[in-house]
């Protein structure tokens, strides 16, 4: 009954574009900064994005939304919904998410701002902001392109005993001094983290998708 109350087609586009521009404070990622409009002609609801100042701020933000919000969960919580979302991603990335168009819009805005600047220093600030934004747009576009080109990860496979083999571990070191290595102990493989001081933030990580319960 969802399509009876929600314009699902428009929400697919809304959600995909929120993720593309890394709107980390929007509905899909934070259940924030949105309006819902009820169209009296169709009787269905439409999502309207709001408060987009965080767009392109985190160029490494994920492009697939978590199903934490009720609408996202309803639309993408089924195999058909996920397939429709991935198809919409491909369509919008090819036809709409173009860095040249975005960069030209930024350059046009910067030109208007610098023309109205109070002095040369302010004009240079505007130019610097513009270069930074264009750099973020290009970086985000590349990140999205790489993600879309990566084959969809498959759910973990569990054997008859309920055990799954985890592979593809990677190291992440964010702060402090730490040594991460792989060791064999009593026939078992261990992923080790050895800290040499306080304030260490380090981990072994791997992405894993669990099959539906």
């Amino acid at each position: 009954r969802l399509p009876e109350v929600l314009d699902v087609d428009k929400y697919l586009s809304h959600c995909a574009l929120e993720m593309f521009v890394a709107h980390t404070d929007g509905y899909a990622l934070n259940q924030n900064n949105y309006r819902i409009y009820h169209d009296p002609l169709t009787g269905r609801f439409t999502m309207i994005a709001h408060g987009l100042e965080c767009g392109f701020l985190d160029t490494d933000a994920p492009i697939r939304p978590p199903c934490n919000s009720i609408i996202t969960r309803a639309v993408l919580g089924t195999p058909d919904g996920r397939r429709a979302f991935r198809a919409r991603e491909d369509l919008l990335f090819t036809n709409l998410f173009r860095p040249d168009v975005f960069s030209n819009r930024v350059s046009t805005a910067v030109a208007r701002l610098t023309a109205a600047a109070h002095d040369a220093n302010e004009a240079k600030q505007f130019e610097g902001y513009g270069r930074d934004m264009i750099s973020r747009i290009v970086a985000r576009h590349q990140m999205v392109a790489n993600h879309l080109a990566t084959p969809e990860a498959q759910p973990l496979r569990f054997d008859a005993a309920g055990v799954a083999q985890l592979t593809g571990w990677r190291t992440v070191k964010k702060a402090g001094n730490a040594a991460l290595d792989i060791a064999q102990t009593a026939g078992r493989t261990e992923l080790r983290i050895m800290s040499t001081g306080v304030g260490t933030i380090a981990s072994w990580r791997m992405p894993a998708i669990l099959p539906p319960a």
Side-chain angles (χ1 to χ4, degrees):
R1 296 187 54 197
L2 185 64
E4 298 176 14
V5 295
L6 176 73
D7 192 326
V8 175
D9 185 72
K10 286 185 178 179
Y11 184 71
L12 289 171
S13 295
H14 174 276
C15 187
L17 289 173
E18 268 203 341
M19 302 306 295
F20 278 5
V21 304
H23 184 24
T24 53
D25 199 24
Y27 180 77
L29 284 173
N30 200 35
Q31 302 176 56
N32 194 28
N33 284 324
Y34 66 94
R35 299 289 184 266
I36 297 179
Y37 171 69
H38 181 258
D39 189 335
L41 297 179
T42 65
R44 295 187 297 176
F45 288 91
T46 300
M47 183 75 70
I48 302 174
H50 179 67
L52 288 158
E53 73 276 3
C54 289
F56 295 106
L57 189 62
D58 182 2
T59 58
D60 290 325
I63 73 164
R64 298 274 157 75
C67 290
N68 296 333
S69 57
I70 185 172
I71 296 178
T72 308
R73 184 164 59 249
V75 175
L76 303 185
T78 66
D80 286 344
R82 289 190 290 273
R83 282 192 292 269
F85 182 72
R86 289 165 192 153
R88 187 58 50 87
E89 284 181 316
D90 292 337
L91 177 67
L92 294 177
F93 183 78
T94 301
N95 297 313
L96 187 62
F97 195 61
R98 295 173 48 191
D100 58 328
V101 174
F102 289 4
S103 297
N104 288 340
R105 289 287 296 273
V106 172
S107 297
T108 299
V110 169
R112 294 177 65 184
L113 289 169
T114 54
H118 292 93
D119 52 47
N121 288 332
E122 188 176 57
K124 287 182 179 179
Q125 279 188 323
F126 291 144
E127 292 170 353
Y129 296 150
R131 286 192 298 270
D132 181 63
M133 177 56 77
I134 290 174
S135 175
R136 291 178 181 276
I137 290 170
V138 172
R140 182 59 178 174
H141 182 271
Q142 186 61 57
M143 188 275 183
V144 174
N146 292 341
H147 194 100
L148 292 178
T150 302
E152 194 73 23
Q154 298 301 311
L156 287 175
R157 296 189 177 214
F158 291 84
D159 60 23
V163 176
Q165 298 294 325
L166 304 181
T167 60
W169 291 94
R170 64 185 179 90
T171 61
V172 175
K173 292 192 284 187
K174 292 190 174 182
N177 296 314
L180 293 86
D181 66 2
I182 302 176
Q184 298 292 329
T185 303
R188 297 182 58 182
T189 301
E190 296 180 344
L191 306 178
R192 304 191 303 184
I193 303 175
M194 292 170 285
S195 174
T196 58
V198 298
T200 295
I201 301 176
S203 58
W204 285 90
R205 300 185 183 186
M206 64 152 292
I209 299 177
L210 296 177

